[in-house]
Amino acid sequence: MTDITGDARGGTVGVVVDAYTTGNLLPAAFAAHGVRLVHVQAREKVSTALPRPDLARFAENIVYDGQAALARIRSHAPGFVIAGQDSGVALADLLSERLGLPTNGTARSAARWDKYATGERLRERGLHRAAQFKAADPADLVRWRKEAGPDAETVVVKPVSSAGTDRVYVCRTDAEIESAARAVLSGPDVYGKPNPEVLVQTFLEGTEYIVDTVSRDGAHFVCGVWRYHKRLVAGRPVYDRDALLAPDEEPVPALLAYIDTVLDAVGVRHGSAHAEVIVTPRGPALVEIGARMNGNMNPGLHRLCLGHDQAALTALAYVRPEEFRAGYAGRVYSRRRHALVCNTATAREGVVTGVDATAVRRIEALPSVHAVAVKLAVGDRIRPTTDLLSSPLRVFMTHEDRAVLDADVLAVRELAETVYATGPAPVAAPAAPIARSVAPVTADPEAVAPEAAGSEAAGSGASAPETVR
């Protein structure tokens, strides 16, 4: 028994809105159940900052323009509408509600993709979170910080939406806040939308974790919990590696109890979600949540270390809800093997002139390496790593022995710098620097505490759709 209805051509069909990054994994997951997917673009212009929807994997692409597009979508008689990335959440909520399908609804939709709306919803429910403020004028952000008191000595400035640590700055002075705010306002977010306002939040001191879930009818299954290891480079949080935790490992039980209340507060009743949480001295506090899959997911790796993957579970929850409820709803994952996802960093800047296949094979040959995502090609620009989007290489790793993983991470870092050959970048006018009153943190991953970057994650294709948190 399924929730999917047949379309005019006799098959079964569903809709995905904005299948950026790991949204490209959904067609295969649903095809395993005989379900074809139609893709809907929330905006006419496709983002160039992220791995794009692979339209060859979808039965049709519909650019949403109102009633005409709605009629075209309705003609397929879809059984569900889901978001492939944060930029598609609002439209997926609207379409699923209008079509009378399983839906998270529009009432709390903003709280599932807008960081400010999320924080306000948690405040209404009395849940622990960062204090926050948003404004279009950098001077207003500075004024708020002064009025917020000692808790705002260090703050985080970032876009209200976006992802992938796009223009996220940890600031300790008024000058830093003003400069960071101007950087946010200077251009669109990673989805191509303008940034008319800037969000400032108090810095959450502690270690950050990823909590991934899939839900059906308000019953949640926790797919996995990962600990972030990050570095702070020139005021920017830079991903280093993510480590899979066992479900009984501290502080996972507290995280699970907290995230259950968050999911209910923001109205996640159906589908996948990806939350990032800081465990502070006062307990867990949400950084952000999105009603979409983890951008850091590799299905093969997840099946090895967890026995499942979020894309397949999402398909199961929509296509075979009874089976999902019986086997997963209200339960928690088990860890089968240790696992890491390593994001390499570089200090180089220029244009990629070659990719050394031998170097890639040497990384792939390491005992714990499951897959290597080479994120740049010849002609692409390589730049010093300041966020997830500028990390040049991602390596998925799993092994029964944690010591093997730790040794292989060191080898990956050493080999990563041999993968790309580079030449000089075209000369361009220098951009105005972000004002800093503190020295940049060293770029050596081993010399910085894993939790140095505190609260700031964003959010995460063919070879590597996993580029957004």
Side-chain angles (χ1 to χ4, degrees):
M1 180 177 180
T2 76
D3 276 359
I4 308 298
T5 54
D7 72 358
R9 289 164 289 184
T12 53
V13 66
V15 172
V16 177
V17 183
D18 280 3
Y20 293 104
T21 66
T22 46
N24 285 303
L25 301 173
L26 291 170
F30 280 95
H33 299 280
V35 176
R36 295 179 298 107
L37 297 182
V38 170
H39 185 262
V40 173
Q41 284 179 217
R43 302 173 70 246
E44 182 176 359
K45 187 175 181 181
V46 176
S47 170
T48 59
L50 305 174
R52 301 181 182 191
D54 183 355
L55 299 182
R57 304 185 186 191
F58 294 87
E60 183 180 357
N61 183 55
I62 299 172
V63 178
Y64 190 76
D65 59 0
Q67 288 302 315
L70 179 60
R72 181 63 189 146
I73 294 165
R74 194 188 300 274
S75 73
H76 285 279
F80 59 87
V81 181
I82 59 178
Q85 189 47 245
D86 294 326
S87 59
V89 170
L91 183 55
D93 290 339
L94 176 67
L95 294 174
S96 57
E97 188 174 79
R98 287 191 176 179
L99 295 172
L101 302 173
T103 183
N104 291 325
T106 57
R108 299 291 177 196
S109 184
R112 296 186 289 273
W113 62 268
D114 178 302
K115 297 173 177 58
Y116 180 79
T118 304
E120 291 305 288
R121 179 58 178 161
L122 298 192
R123 180 182 60 79
E124 292 170 5
R125 294 289 290 266
L127 298 177
H128 184 34
R129 85 284 179 249
Q132 63 176 10
F133 178 73
K134 68 175 181 176
D137 187 341
D140 290 336
L141 304 180
V142 171
R143 189 176 303 111
W144 174 84
R145 174 180 181 249
K146 292 176 179 177
E147 295 172 353
D151 288 344
E153 181 177 347
T154 302
V155 297
V156 179
V157 174
K158 57 187 174 183
V160 174
S161 58
S162 201
T165 56
D166 169 41
R167 282 174 287 189
V168 174
Y169 297 94
V170 178
C171 302
R172 296 177 178 84
T173 70
D174 294 349
E176 289 178 7
I177 293 171
E178 290 181 349
S179 294
R182 286 194 293 271
V184 172
L185 294 168
S186 67
D189 63 23
V190 295
Y191 303 114
K193 296 187 298 183
N195 287 312
E197 294 181 300
V198 182
L199 178 62
V200 60
Q201 297 175 322
T202 52
F203 183 84
L204 296 169
E205 198 73 53
T207 304
E208 187 167 1
Y209 301 84
I210 311 165
V211 183
D212 297 325
T213 60
V214 175
S215 305
R216 177 74 200 201
D217 298 310
H220 315 301
F221 173 68
V222 179
C223 309
V225 176
W226 301 71
R227 179 190 291 121
Y228 277 140
H229 295 254
K230 294 191 295 183
R231 299 174 287 114
L232 198 62
V233 178
R236 304 290 299 277
V238 175
Y239 292 97
D240 181 26
R241 63 195 187 279
D242 311 334
L244 178 64
L245 302 184
D248 58 353
E249 187 174 348
E250 292 298 332
V252 175
L255 284 167
L256 300 185
Y258 175 76
I259 208 64
D260 193 62
T261 63
V262 170
L263 291 170
D264 292 342
V266 302
V268 173
R269 291 185 49 79
H270 299 280
S272 52
H274 167 67
E276 292 160 356
V277 185
I278 295 286
V279 175
T280 74
R282 291 176 50 201
L286 186 74
V287 176
E288 60 188 55
I289 187 169
R292 47 84 172 177
M293 293 189 301
N294 187 344
N296 198 31
M297 186 186 59
N298 177 285
L301 176 82
H302 283 219
R303 287 193 291 269
L304 281 173
C305 62
L306 292 164
H308 57 252
D309 70 86
Q310 199 175 19
L313 288 170
T314 300
L316 186 68
Y318 280 102
V319 179
R320 298 181 180 174
E322 294 87 353
E323 186 176 334
F324 177 83
R325 281 190 285 262
Y328 295 96
R331 302 186 184 187
V332 177
Y333 70 99
S334 297
R335 186 180 69 182
R336 296 182 174 185
R337 302 162 59 132
H338 295 284
L340 291 175
V341 180
C342 179
N343 296 282
T344 67
T346 185
R348 289 191 289 170
E349 184 164 12
V351 173
V352 175
T353 58
V355 178
D356 189 335
T358 300
V360 175
R361 285 194 293 269
R362 290 177 67 191
I363 296 174
E364 292 173 333
L366 293 170
S368 68
V369 171
H370 172 75
V372 179
V374 178
K375 296 167 64 176
L376 300 175
V378 173
D380 288 343
R381 184 162 183 165
I382 190 168
R383 58 188 175 90
T385 303
T386 57
D387 53 20
L388 185 63
L389 297 177
S390 53
S391 169
L393 205 68
R394 176 168 290 167
V395 183
F396 299 91
M397 311 168 70
T398 183
H399 203 276
E400 294 86 352
D401 188 345
R402 179 57 191 266
V404 173
L405 278 171
D406 291 340
D408 284 354
V409 164
L410 297 178
V412 165
R413 289 185 187 136
E414 182 177 348
L415 290 168
E417 283 293 275
T418 68
V419 169
Y420 298 105
T422 60
V427 177
I434 297 295
R436 294 284 162 205
S437 63
V438 292
V441 178
T442 173
D444 179 5
E446 294 302 300
V448 183
E451 302 83 10
S455 68
E456 286 322 301
S460 278
S463 62
E466 315 84 348
T467 54
V468 171
R469 302 288 178 165

